[in-house]
Amino acid sequence: KDHGLPEELKVLLALESAYNPNARSKAGAVGYWQLMDNVAKEYGMKIAQIQARQKRNKGSKRIKNKSVARRRMVDDRKNFIKSTTAAARYLCDRRRNLNDNWLLMVASYNCGVGNVWKAMEKSGVENPTFWDIKDDLPAETRAYVMNFIALNVIFANYDNFINNNLVFKE
């Protein structure tokens, strides 16, 4: 809401990480919103490894075995507020350069804006929609956008869904 984005985009959180801050994709995306390192850094997030002080033994001497030294990872992608803010800023940027088209924004969140732009260019359509470019997007992205649509239908009609009363009009 703070960024003026459609409420329907909140389902991306479920699609991305199933609300798990420790989620990690095969590609290396991390956290609630599954942000890649370069995107996280672009939006000002911290990703750093900090070495904590070495433990001391009872005689106040440092333990020489470095394997005992503890490392702590600071990764803002696992912080709900910081990662949600970064994801919202990313989506605002995509909103501006994808003609405020929600489905193109969602596709870009999955496969990157560059891939969406390539598919848009390849389509030859002026101001293409997701439906115009879907066949030129990765299969995973096509499924991701369809899951986005399906989750929104379920969330908007939850009572009917759980009571098996969804009505589809032809």
Side-chain angles (χ1 to χ4, degrees):
K1 288 181 181 179
D2 291 348
H3 290 82
L5 292 167
E7 190 172 317
E8 288 80 359
L9 292 173
K10 69 185 177 187
V11 303
L12 293 179
L13 185 59
L15 288 172
E16 288 296 325
S17 69
Y19 307 98
N20 178 1
N22 297 311
R24 178 177 292 277
S25 75
K26 294 176 191 171
V30 172
Y32 287 104
W33 291 93
Q34 291 293 281
L35 298 169
M36 297 292 287
D37 290 0
N38 58 341
V39 172
K41 289 175 184 174
E42 179 183 344
Y43 288 92
M45 301 183 83
K46 292 180 186 149
I47 304 169
Q49 192 172 42
I50 300 170
Q51 185 167 345
R53 290 184 182 176
Q54 291 182 336
K55 293 184 178 183
R56 297 180 181 267
N57 62 18
K58 290 183 182 178
S60 192
K61 293 181 183 176
R62 286 187 183 207
I63 298 173
K64 292 183 181 178
N65 182 350
K66 290 189 179 191
S67 66
V68 183
R70 295 180 305 159
R71 294 187 186 274
R72 184 170 59 104
M73 187 73 169
V74 174
D75 193 336
D76 286 346
R77 296 173 295 179
K78 295 180 180 185
N79 177 300
F80 184 76
I81 300 297
K82 290 178 180 180
S83 64
T84 300
T85 300
R89 288 178 56 215
Y90 175 90
L91 288 164
C92 282
D93 288 345
R94 298 300 76 82
R95 176 183 225 173
R96 279 189 287 279
N97 53 32
L98 292 170
N99 304 320
D100 200 22
N101 184 302
W102 297 3
L103 298 183
L104 293 178
M105 292 163 56
V106 169
S108 79
Y109 200 90
N110 180 258
C111 71
V113 70
N115 289 320
V116 172
W117 284 335
K118 286 177 192 169
M120 290 170 73
E121 189 175 311
K122 188 175 179 181
S123 77
V125 175
E126 188 176 333
N127 298 319
T129 67
F130 168 77
W131 306 108
D132 296 320
I133 70 166
K134 71 179 178 61
D135 292 337
D136 293 315
L137 293 171
E140 176 188 333
T141 301
R142 292 192 305 267
Y144 184 85
V145 172
M146 297 311 293
N147 286 335
F148 168 80
I149 294 168
L151 274 181
N152 270 295
V153 168
I154 291 168
F155 284 10
N157 300 284
Y158 188 71
D159 288 337
N160 288 330
F161 177 76
I162 61 172
N163 293 318
N164 203 25
N165 288 330
L166 278 182
V167 177
F168 296 97
K169 296 179 181 177
E170 291 185 30

